[in-house]
């Protein structure tokens, strides 16, 4: 029951807010399902990858993905995420959770201030900057086990010149690519150490999270999104304090 509840919370937040929603995956696994920190961070990547991949199928069918930007950002992102995950296997998980809490605050600030419109900004495509950003964002998200959409979407809009809707759709494909790469590294390292993943929990959360995202989309059309987004930003800030107090300083 807790698995379904956690998955629906993640899915609804993804449907309501898009980028930033998947950042709830680690806290749900950590505190609601009582999963060890190392496995929560690694499992989060596979859950986020699965939900993002399912969402990308629909976006591809509707031709909302910019494939050039997906490959230019996604392939370096996979390399960066694999490297970030490798570093994550070498350090105390409390360092990962500290960086994760900082990212929650960054995501909260992004969501609080977000007022982008559905228009292209007419900036030229800058491949070097896009590749560099893919590497950096990938390394960060691989280290802490989040999708990083709240970092990817602004990069695609500001540096790649994409309209917001296309950037959001493209970011899901990028998140799937690099999250799979990061999980692969964690899986290889943890399996060698004799640690096992709860595949049933992961599968339930992927499917239920994807279904929940449709409920989130529906709610987003009925409720004042700007106020919801600010409320969610405050919630992320509070959760960052919880992570630091309960898991980093403990």
């Amino acid at each position: 029951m807790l698995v379904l509840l956690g998955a629906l919370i993640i899915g609804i937040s993804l449907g309501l807010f898009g980028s930033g929603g998947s950042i709830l995956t680690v806290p749900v696994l950590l505190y609601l399902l009582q999963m060890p920190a190392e496995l929560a961070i690694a499992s989060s990547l596979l859950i986020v990858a699965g939900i993002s991949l399912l969402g990308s199928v629909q976006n591809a069918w509707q031709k909302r993905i910019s494939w050039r930007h997906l490959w230019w950002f996604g392939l370096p992102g996979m390399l960066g995420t694999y490297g970030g995950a490798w570093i994550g296997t070498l350090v105390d998980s409390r360092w990962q959770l500290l960086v994760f809490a900082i990212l929650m605050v960054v995501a909260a600030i992004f969501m609080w201030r977000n007022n982008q419109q559905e228009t292209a900004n007419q900036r030229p495509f800058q491949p070097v900057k896009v590749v560099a950003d893919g590497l950096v964002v990938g390394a960060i998200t691989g280290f802490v086990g989040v999708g990083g959409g709240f970092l990817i979407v602004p990069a695609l809009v500001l540096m790649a010149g994409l309209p917001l809707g296309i950037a959001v759709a493209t970011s899901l494909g990028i998140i799937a690519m690099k999250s799979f790469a990061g999980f692969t590294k964690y899986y290889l390292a943890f399996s060698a150490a004799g640690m096992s993943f709860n595949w049933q929990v992961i599968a339930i959360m992927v499917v239920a999270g994807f279904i929940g995202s449709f409920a989130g989309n529906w709610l987003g059309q009925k409720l004042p999104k700007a106020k919801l987004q600010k409320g969610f930003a405050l919630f992320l800030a509070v959760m960052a304090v919880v992570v630091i107090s309960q898991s980093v300083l403990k």
Side-chain angles (χ1 to χ4, degrees), residues 8-52:
L8 289 173
I9 290 171
I10 294 165
I12 290 171
S13 65
L14 278 168
L16 277 173
F17 308 112
S19 60
S22 66
I23 205 167
L24 288 180
T25 310
V26 171
V28 164
L29 295 174
L30 200 59
Y31 303 121
L32 196 60
L33 301 182
Q34 300 295 308
M35 192 175 286
E38 298 89 344
L39 290 176
I41 291 169
S43 299
S44 172
L45 281 173
L46 186 56
I47 292 166
V48 169
I51 295 174
S52 299

Side-chain angles (χ1 to χ4, degrees), residues 136-217:
V136 172
V137 173
I140 294 171
T141 58
F143 185 70
V144 298
V146 299
F150 63 93
L151 296 173
I152 297 171
V153 173
L156 290 175
V157 171
L158 297 175
M159 287 193 294
L162 287 180
L164 182 59
I166 300 299
V168 170
T170 304
S171 75
L172 277 181
I174 294 169
I175 289 168
M177 290 170 65
K178 61 191 189 62
S179 296
F180 276 123
F183 175 77
T184 298
K185 177 57 187 174
Y186 280 116
Y187 174 76
L188 293 174
F190 290 171
S191 294
M195 300 171 68
S196 59
F197 291 87
N198 191 326
W199 300 110
Q200 184 178 5
V201 166
I202 291 172
I204 291 172
M205 294 194 74
V206 169
V207 175
F210 179 65
I211 294 172
S213 68
F214 286 98
N217 280 324

